[in-house]
Amino acid sequence: MKRPRETPLADRLPATVPFVGPEAIERRLGRPFRARIGANENVFGPSPKAIKAIQDQAGDAWMYGDPESFELREALAGHLGIARDEVVVGEGVDGLLGYAVRLFVEEGDRVVTSEGAYPTFNYHVVGFGGDLVKVPYRDDREDVDALLEAARDSRAKVIYLANPDNPMGTWQDPARIEAMVADLPENCVLILDEAYLEFAPESIVPTVPIADPRVIRMRTFSKAYGMAGMRVGYAFGERSVIQSFEKIRNHFGMNRVSQIAAQIALSDQGWLGHVRSEVAMARERIAAVAEDSGLDPIQSAANFVAVDCGGDGAFARRVLEELEARDVFVRMPGVAPGNRCIRITAGRPADLDLLAQALPEALAAARR
């Protein structure tokens, strides 16, 4: 029987998963990790009020979610101080990035990003036939000047920038972001990924007029709100741009339980403050563990710390594998010079006790 023919674009694409999940590694190892501190999940969990909402709503899982996410968008608009039709909800930032790329990128269009930045964005660009133009990091930060120059030179349709950044955890001065917006080339959209913003000091949040149609900002309930498994993200910006998402988004992509739980989580800012405090303490502990082993932590405004292992990417990979062998899951940046580091998610005290025990052993084994 003959196999159905794919589109020429799909036929050219590799079958790939942008991230190897910890579950896949556990299957290979044949046992679970004792410390899961690699996927930048919020191990401190969602608001207890949100957990109760999930439990209360479980029996109504037979119902579709509101395809307009009306009440959640209303709550988000109030939280952000904008109008409801200036915000759209989607299946995490990952889903929203795919929608944004579909809106603005055709085959052959150029898109600018940083070499080694969030790979799921690249996955979407390639999936819609866009051409990626990548610029290197500078001093472990995304290079705003180089991104703008590359966009001008290539006539790019989109620039992608994360602030704070993943995988390095570094951030941009808000005035620099504001100047970048002012300098955007004509017909170029800036996607500003702020998934980790709630972990950062409020002083780094830029001021971007909501009426500026060249900027789409994206945030999530996966990180600080502790709901990665519920898949709730949101984008906000100028009204007509946000309304364009209605042309192509999956209107039943948001399940009912997730929408209700996210609304409850948003209302519990006290729990968010608790999580921010726990993450700040965990970042300090990770830095101390790294320094005790003679390594250099990079200052982070996210819920993880990139740790310079003092060698090249091959050495950092050996350290990571030795940690895996000791049942501690971490990740590492994929591109030099960031790949000299491992990236460690903020964990609970017991997680970081295991890290403190395993890291010196992993380093010794990696150096043999």
Side-chain angles (χ1 to χ4, degrees):
M1 189 173 294
K2 201 168 185 179
R3 186 179 183 276
R5 179 178 294 177
E6 298 176 7
T7 67
L9 173 58
D11 190 53
R12 294 197 303 268
L13 297 174
T16 184
V17 177
F19 293 104
V20 177
E23 295 83 3
I25 302 170
E26 289 174 332
R27 288 191 289 270
R28 173 170 55 81
L29 294 174
R31 61 185 184 275
F33 286 112
R34 293 187 296 159
R36 179 171 165 144
I37 48 174
N40 296 350
E41 297 153 321
N42 173 4
V43 301
F44 306 105
S47 157
K49 296 176 183 178
I51 294 173
K52 185 175 186 307
I54 293 167
Q55 294 167 337
D56 290 346
Q57 297 298 323
D60 288 333
W62 58 271
M63 298 170 64
Y64 287 114
D66 177 3
E68 298 178 31
S69 298
F70 183 92
E71 292 186 357
L72 178 55
R73 287 169 53 232
E74 187 86 358
L76 285 165
H79 178 70
L80 296 167
I82 60 177
R84 185 182 62 252
D85 56 1
E86 292 169 329
V87 60
V88 62
V89 172
E91 305 92 326
V93 166
D94 289 356
L96 290 163
L97 287 173
Y99 295 142
V101 172
R102 184 179 174 188
L103 276 174
F104 295 106
V105 179
E106 297 181 283
E107 281 200 61
D109 284 343
R110 294 186 176 93
V111 175
V112 172
T113 186
S114 298
E115 180 71 40
Y118 192 47
T120 299
F121 175 71
N122 300 356
Y123 170 83
H124 288 305
V125 171
V126 172
F128 284 103
D131 291 336
L132 287 162
V133 178
K134 301 178 184 179
V135 303
Y137 279 58
R138 183 172 65 184
D139 300 327
D140 293 324
R141 284 174 170 76
E142 296 200 63
D143 188 338
V144 169
D145 292 335
L147 290 168
L148 283 169
E149 182 178 358
R152 282 191 290 266
D153 290 348
S154 66
R155 302 191 181 205
K157 296 286 290 295
V158 176
I159 300 174
Y160 172 82
L161 174 70
N163 188 49
D165 171 66
N166 177 25
M168 304 310 292
T170 49
W171 64 94
Q172 304 288 335
D173 181 88
R176 190 68 200 90
I177 298 289
E178 292 157 14
M180 181 186 193
V181 172
D183 291 341
L184 282 173
E186 189 175 359
N187 298 320
C188 184
V189 174
L190 172 63
I191 297 178
L192 187 56
D193 183 344
E194 298 178 321
Y196 295 92
L197 196 68
E198 286 91 353
F199 297 116
E202 291 185 8
S203 60
I204 82 162
V205 182
T207 300
V208 179
I210 194 69
D212 191 330
R214 301 169 302 164
V215 183
I216 302 172
R217 300 170 78 166
M218 296 187 179
R219 298 182 188 173
T220 185
F221 286 87
S222 295
K223 303 302 179 183
Y225 290 99
M227 297 173 60
M230 304 299 284
R231 309 311 303 135
V232 186
Y234 57 100
F236 59 102
E238 191 270 334
R239 179 178 284 104
S240 68
V241 173
I242 294 303
Q243 288 302 297
S244 291
F245 280 80
E246 299 301 326
K247 302 173 183 179
I248 47 87
R249 74 178 180 89
N250 178 4
H251 290 79
F252 282 118
M254 301 306 306
N255 76 69
R256 184 174 183 275
V257 177
S258 292
Q259 292 185 49
I260 293 170
Q263 187 177 340
I264 298 299
L266 184 68
S267 71
D268 193 354
Q269 292 294 302
W271 181 258
L272 179 65
H274 163 73
V275 168
R276 286 168 54 95
S277 177
E278 293 283 355
V279 167
M281 288 189 290
R283 286 194 306 236
E284 291 179 4
R285 178 81 192 283
I286 293 168
V289 168
E291 289 168 348
D292 287 345
S293 293
L295 306 182
D296 293 323
I298 295 171
Q299 190 174 8
S300 172
N303 72 328
F304 59 85
V305 177
V307 174
D308 187 339
C309 291
D312 59 9
F315 178 70
R317 172 64 62 184
R318 292 198 297 275
V319 174
L320 179 147
E321 290 171 350
E322 292 294 341
L323 285 170
E324 285 181 356
R326 289 159 178 79
D327 300 330
V328 176
F329 168 62
V330 302
R331 280 193 172 131
M332 62 180 286
V335 175
N339 68 349
R340 72 191 192 282
C341 301
I342 56 174
R343 193 196 67 188
I344 304 170
T345 303
R348 294 158 293 207
D351 298 322
L352 301 185
D353 287 345
L354 286 169
L355 174 70
Q357 175 186 334
L359 183 57
E361 297 173 1
L363 285 167
R367 287 170 178 149
R368 289 191 194 121

